[in-house]
Amino acid sequence: MAIVTGRTNGDTGGGDTAGTPAPADTGIPASAGAGRGPARAVSEPGRIRQPVALIRLLTGLIAIALTLLLADYARATTGGIAADVAEAAELVPRPLAGLAGGLTTAAVLLVPVVLAARRLLGPDRRRALQQVSDGLLAAVLAYGATLLLDLWADGVAPVSLLAALTQALPGGALGHTEPVYGYLAPVLAFMTASGNREHRAPWAVLALSGLAGLAGGYATPTALLLGLLIGWTGAHGTLYAVGTPDPLPRPGEVLRALRESGLHPAEAHPAGPDRYLVRQADDRPDLDVQLLDRQAVTAAAVQRAWRRLRLRTAPHPRALRSPRAGLEHEALVTYAALAAGVRTRRIAATAGLGQDTALIAYEHLPGRTLDRLPDEEITDDLLADAWRQLARLQRRETAHRALVPSSLLVDATGAVHLVDFADGDIAASELVLRCDIAQLLTTLALRAGAARSVHTAVTVLGADTVEAALPLLQPIALARTTRHALKHTARPTAAARTGGPADPGPDEAAAGGGGGGLLEEIRAEVLRTRPQAEVRPVRLERLRPRTLLAVVGGVVAGWLLIPQLFAAEDNPIAAVADADPAWLALALLAAALSHVTAAMGFVGFVPERLDFRNAVLAQLAGAFVKLVSPGGVGGIALNTRLLQRAGIPTAQALSSVGVGQLIGLVLHLLQLGAFVYLLDLQPGGSELDALPAVVGGLAGAAALLAVVSAVPPARRWLAARLRPLTTEVLPRLLDLLRSPARLAVGLTGQLLVSICLIGCLYCCTRAIGREPSFASVAVVFLVGNAAGNVAPTPGGAGAVDGALIALLQQTASMEKGGALAAVATYRLLTLILPVLPGWAAMTWLQRRRAL
């Protein structure tokens, strides 16, 4: 219910699982506040671990690392800042600077004492003692970290970094200042870990102490920044390691806040995590009180931000708002629902409890949530009433966003009340409103079956409205726990489907975790009513995980490739810049033709008719997929998907791709043998270094196969791996033999794709002024490409490049600089340049529903 409990509803993480059970007649949803459990990992009684502490710890570590990197690599900037500060400090009279430094140092040392005394003399001494002990531990750890960093900078770190962090001591004294201005780190750590961040006076003392250190010449700006970062990071690391005292108010504080709001509370009883059932005096109605706390806000921060980035229908990123802002939002949506005529609990009071907690009190509504009702009580009238409540919300363009079972409260008369408007929206978009319909369709179908859920929805909302929500009926549009229920919840029993009591049949009793096809059942029921309904899902994703993987893969590939361009003594960039334009043009043409020949080698092993243009674009898209997949794995998956979208069953699609891969392997070995033989016939070929390696590799593979075949368990394992080859690939190959023309196209394409890539590498070597034989370059490519296909790096980065460079030096007698320049040019034409065209081709195929 509460907007800042760890439970996040709807698209922000789901919330239809039960938390601590509430009494059956209290009307408190089972899941309200359920997220407080997973959001708070208890380290000891009365302590919690806040996810925000871990987030801030990681942020601080990254900031420290970036500060050190910038200090070392941006020495001109950091040195200029330090020089400007030192020049300004010279304007301050030395006696005045010394006096200021002494006074501020004394004040800084007194800050922890004053703050500790103030805490211990407060009303809650037990919690204060815990906070003070946490602060002392954080201060010790932060001071130790500054000492370790000082020792590392003095003894291990590069001299350039030490020079960037330090400066000569003032007054002509020998030595240099400390790399880290360590006076501030323990004090800041104590302030942060002991909960004294809100006081302005200690912050002013810290600021004056830092300025005094700069003015006196005892610290550089970078050393001062490192001291503050270490103190802040150490505090949050300590808080996450040992936990923090639970800041939630006790029942007495809750009662006092309610009295100050004009209510008459008498006693409070815990009713679940972050919840109280409050009895009032003089027969006044009871209250359901929900606590809204700050750490539960941050518990969902990363998840909410990710879903906001990924989904078009995700709620606005309110994960970091204050408890008071969360309270205001929930109250606003609740009032909007009441104004729309929706049955829901009325707000009795709202109040703040310090800076970290707020509460919202509702008039108590006895009842049970939908997930607690027995099947015989889920009648069609009850389902229709739930749809009528949603219809009133929809007319006012108000979205609930979390229509899960715990949000449907049924009172003693069977009337449905919608509760938990924490993630709701007013003035919601049409897409979000349709998501509410899709969610309620699924929620009711999980209990009553698809037929009854759809029938009551059509009766209340109309067939057109239900049809409009059909494209949103997809797992990604549903709450997380609803998706989980679709996988693991049993099918509705006969009683639920018919609306009356009945014993489950034997099939139902054994169904266990059915429900996986429930969405398809709902679609089928809607299509029975409206056969012409649009069923193609709406794309809800802004950013797909594979797009993120593509970006990460590109960064990794660049990280692996770029250093190689500068690893040799001869700069390959200069060699490429001076390359022969004619040979470069031929290399580019060969690289482009390789995609066409690859499409020939692909379609030739598919008996069904394919669009050759789509096949060529798919091979071009494979150049983009290489950045996020090792070797040829991405190309195989892409070709398989193309065949599936063309209407070819998955088994046959995999068989066709497998046939192409098998024949490609055979042709690869035949080409390697042929070019090795040709190279051996050339003058000086008797000294070929690649031949023993090739023969030795083949002999080793044969010996390994013989050993595996001789061991029964290994033989069974190999037979299991080869069974798809004999059961699927070979029959598909026999079908291809009936079409010699198509098979010839496939064989020709498989041969030409290797020839084109060999030609590209050969033209690259000629472009930089080297003249190896075509046969030697062919052997280099065939061996190096085989190494790339087994390498686990994106596009074979590193493995392909290293193998090609080494083989060009050995087989083609090229020097290291020339080999590196040739390989860099080849990889630029075959791996880097096709990325953008490959992305465009992939996007076009996806929009055409070909991928």
Side-chain angles (χ1 to χ4, degrees):
M1 164 182 168
I3 198 159
V4 291
T5 58
R7 177 184 68 80
T8 50
N9 291 329
D11 285 341
T12 58
D16 45 332
T17 56
T20 303
D25 59 347
T26 62
I28 299 174
S31 70
R36 183 171 164 82
R40 301 182 175 193
V42 178
S43 57
E44 63 179 86
R47 284 182 173 267
I48 58 174
R49 284 196 178 96
Q50 301 183 25
V52 68
L54 178 60
I55 295 172
R56 290 173 177 171
L57 169 63
L58 297 177
T59 303
L61 293 175
I62 293 173
I64 292 172
L66 290 177
T67 301
L68 293 174
L69 287 174
L70 291 175
D72 193 17
Y73 291 100
R75 290 187 293 271
T77 302
T78 55
I81 294 175
D84 293 340
V85 172
E87 185 178 352
E90 292 178 356
L91 302 177
V92 181
R94 181 58 52 188
L96 180 60
L99 178 62
L103 292 176
T104 55
T105 300
V108 164
L109 295 178
L110 287 175
V111 164
V113 178
V114 174
L115 293 178
R118 185 178 183 277
R119 281 284 181 185
L120 294 175
L121 295 176
D124 194 349
R125 296 185 180 180
R126 181 178 179 182
R127 182 180 295 180
L129 183 61
Q130 290 178 327
Q131 291 177 326
V132 170
S133 61
D134 293 344
L136 291 175
L137 178 60
V140 171
L141 293 177
Y143 188 67
T146 60
L147 293 180
L148 290 176
L149 192 56
D150 284 340
L151 293 175
W152 174 79
D154 281 325
V156 181
V159 178
S160 58
L161 178 60
L162 181 62
L165 296 177
T166 61
Q167 63 186 11
L169 287 173
L174 297 178
H176 57 73
T177 59
E178 295 294 334
V180 180
Y181 195 58
Y183 295 103
L184 302 185
V187 177
L188 179 58
F190 179 87
M191 288 173 50
T192 305
S194 61
N196 288 283
R197 297 186 301 267
E198 68 273 13
H199 299 295
R200 297 180 180 179
W203 285 105
V205 172
L206 286 180
L208 291 175
S209 178
L211 292 175
L214 293 176
Y218 293 100
T220 63
T222 309
L224 180 62
L225 177 61
L226 280 176
L228 295 174
L229 287 176
I230 290 175
W232 188 80
T233 305
H236 291 292
T238 303
L239 292 177
Y240 187 74
V242 303
T244 57
D246 195 337
L248 284 180
R250 298 176 181 177
E253 298 177 69
V254 173
L255 296 178
R256 183 168 58 252
L258 292 175
R259 292 191 189 100
E260 292 174 355
S261 299
L263 301 178
H264 300 79
E267 55 183 354
H269 302 281
D274 301 350
R275 300 180 62 85
Y276 289 97
L277 177 63
V278 176
R279 307 289 183 186
Q280 293 200 87
D282 302 330
D283 296 328
R284 297 175 185 269
D286 295 340
L287 302 173
D288 294 331
V289 177
Q290 173 68 54
L291 301 177
L292 316 177
D293 59 306
R294 184 181 296 276
Q295 50 264 34
V297 172
T298 56
V302 175
Q303 186 179 33
R304 282 176 179 264
W306 164 244
R307 293 187 68 83
R308 178 63 182 170
L309 179 66
R310 184 183 176 193
L311 295 181
R312 296 165 53 197
T313 58
H316 294 289
R318 298 183 295 265
L320 296 179
R321 61 187 172 191
S322 66
R324 189 176 298 276
L327 180 149
E328 293 172 352
H329 177 82
E330 183 171 351
L332 175 64
V333 182
T334 301
Y335 284 129
L338 288 170
V342 177
R343 296 194 205 99
T344 188
R345 293 175 293 192
R346 295 184 177 275
I347 297 176
T350 58
L353 295 170
Q355 295 192 2
D356 291 332
T357 310
L359 67 81
I360 182 168
Y362 292 94
E363 293 181 1
H364 177 63
L365 180 63
R368 293 168 294 172
T369 54
L370 183 66
D371 49 351
R372 296 188 172 211
L373 290 179
D375 292 334
E376 58 271 14
E377 293 187 25
I378 302 179
T379 63
D380 285 350
D381 290 340
L382 186 146
L383 300 179
D385 192 29
W387 286 113
R388 282 192 290 270
Q389 302 310 307
L390 179 61
R392 292 172 181 172
L393 275 182
Q394 299 261 315
R395 283 195 293 269
R396 295 295 183 93
E397 296 183 352
T398 302
H400 189 286
R401 286 188 175 275
L403 290 169
V404 293
S406 60
S407 298
L408 303 176
L409 187 65
V410 182
D411 63 18
T413 65
V416 176
H417 302 251
L418 300 185
V419 296
D420 294 358
F421 285 94
D423 287 320
D425 274 334
I426 58 175
S429 67
E430 181 66 24
L431 196 64
V432 174
L433 295 177
R434 286 191 286 164
C435 279
D436 266 3
I437 298 175
Q439 175 66 58
L440 190 56
L441 275 171
T442 309
T443 297
L444 298 182
L446 283 168
R447 290 302 316 270
R452 295 176 61 198
S453 177
V454 172
H455 173 71
T456 51
V458 170
T459 302
V460 175
L461 302 180
D464 292 338
T465 303
V466 178
E467 175 190 342
L470 200 58
L472 279 300
L473 197 66
Q474 46 186 306
I476 198 173
L478 305 176
R480 175 180 54 83
T481 46
T482 301
R483 297 195 299 269
H484 184 271
L486 288 172
K487 295 179 181 178
H488 299 93
T489 302
R491 298 278 184 156
T493 63
R497 287 194 297 266
T498 60
D503 295 329
D507 295 336
E508 292 167 345
L518 185 61
L519 296 183
E520 293 298 330
E521 293 182 17
I522 296 174
R523 292 190 187 95
E525 290 294 332
V526 176
L527 290 175
R528 286 194 187 97
T529 305
R530 300 293 295 266
Q532 73 279 12
E534 175 67 40
V535 296
R536 187 166 63 181
V538 173
R539 181 175 176 179
L540 298 177
E541 291 179 295
R542 281 197 184 97
L543 175 66
R544 297 186 177 184
R546 65 184 178 187
T547 304
L548 184 60
L549 288 176
V551 174
V552 173
V555 172
V556 171
W559 184 271
L560 294 173
L561 289 175
I562 291 175
Q564 299 182 36
L565 300 179
F566 305 95
E569 296 180 0
D570 299 329
N571 191 341
I573 301 298
V576 173
D578 297 334
D580 188 337
W583 283 108
L584 276 181
L586 288 176
L588 181 60
L589 178 62
L593 287 176
S594 68
H595 300 294
V596 180
T597 56
M600 292 174 55
F602 169 58
V603 301
F605 298 110
V606 181
E608 293 80 5
R609 185 175 181 84
L610 293 177
D611 188 335
F612 187 72
R613 178 184 59 179
N614 287 350
V616 173
L617 292 176
Q619 309 317 304
L620 183 58
F624 174 70
V625 177
K626 282 182 183 179
L627 292 180
V628 292
S629 62
V633 174
I636 293 174
L638 200 66
N639 289 335
T640 303
R641 180 61 177 168
L642 182 70
L643 295 180
Q644 290 175 325
R645 297 297 291 180
I648 299 174
T650 302
Q652 297 180 15
L654 290 172
S655 300
S656 295
V657 175
V659 167
Q661 293 295 314
L662 177 63
I663 294 181
L665 175 62
V666 174
L667 293 178
H668 189 94
L669 294 176
L670 292 176
Q671 286 177 297
L672 180 59
F675 282 113
V676 167
Y677 176 75
L678 292 175
L679 186 57
D680 194 40
L681 294 179
Q682 294 178 357
S686 59
E687 299 179 359
L688 177 64
D689 295 331
L691 182 58
V694 174
V695 175
L698 294 176
L704 180 61
L705 182 61
V707 171
V708 170
S709 301
V711 181
R715 184 171 61 250
R716 289 192 294 270
W717 176 85
L718 181 62
R721 297 300 183 273
L722 294 178
R723 189 172 296 114
L725 177 66
T726 58
T727 58
E728 298 177 2
V729 175
L730 293 182
R732 191 71 162 169
L733 182 58
L734 293 176
D735 291 339
L736 286 171
L737 293 177
R738 301 172 185 174
S739 178
R742 184 172 291 274
L743 185 60
V745 171
L747 291 172
T748 303
Q750 290 281 11
L751 287 171
L752 289 179
V753 67
S754 296
I755 297 299
C756 288
L757 292 174
I758 293 170
C760 179
L761 181 58
Y762 176 75
C763 293
C764 290
T765 61
R766 297 299 301 269
I768 62 171
R770 310 307 190 268
E771 297 184 0
S773 65
F774 189 84
S776 64
V777 174
V779 172
V780 167
F781 168 80
L782 293 171
V783 175
N785 190 61
N789 283 333
V790 299
T793 56
V800 171
D801 310 282
L804 292 180
I805 293 170
L807 290 171
L808 282 176
Q809 292 179 261
Q810 297 177 6
T811 305
S813 302
M814 294 177 60
E815 77 284 1
K816 185 176 182 180
L820 181 56
V823 172
T825 306
Y826 168 75
R827 296 290 273 176
L828 176 67
L829 297 178
T830 59
L831 181 65
I832 304 301
L833 287 184
V835 168
L836 286 179
W839 172 79
M842 191 171 189
T843 303
W844 190 86
L845 290 173
Q846 287 176 337
R847 291 182 178 178
R848 293 288 300 271
R849 303 287 177 178
L851 279 182

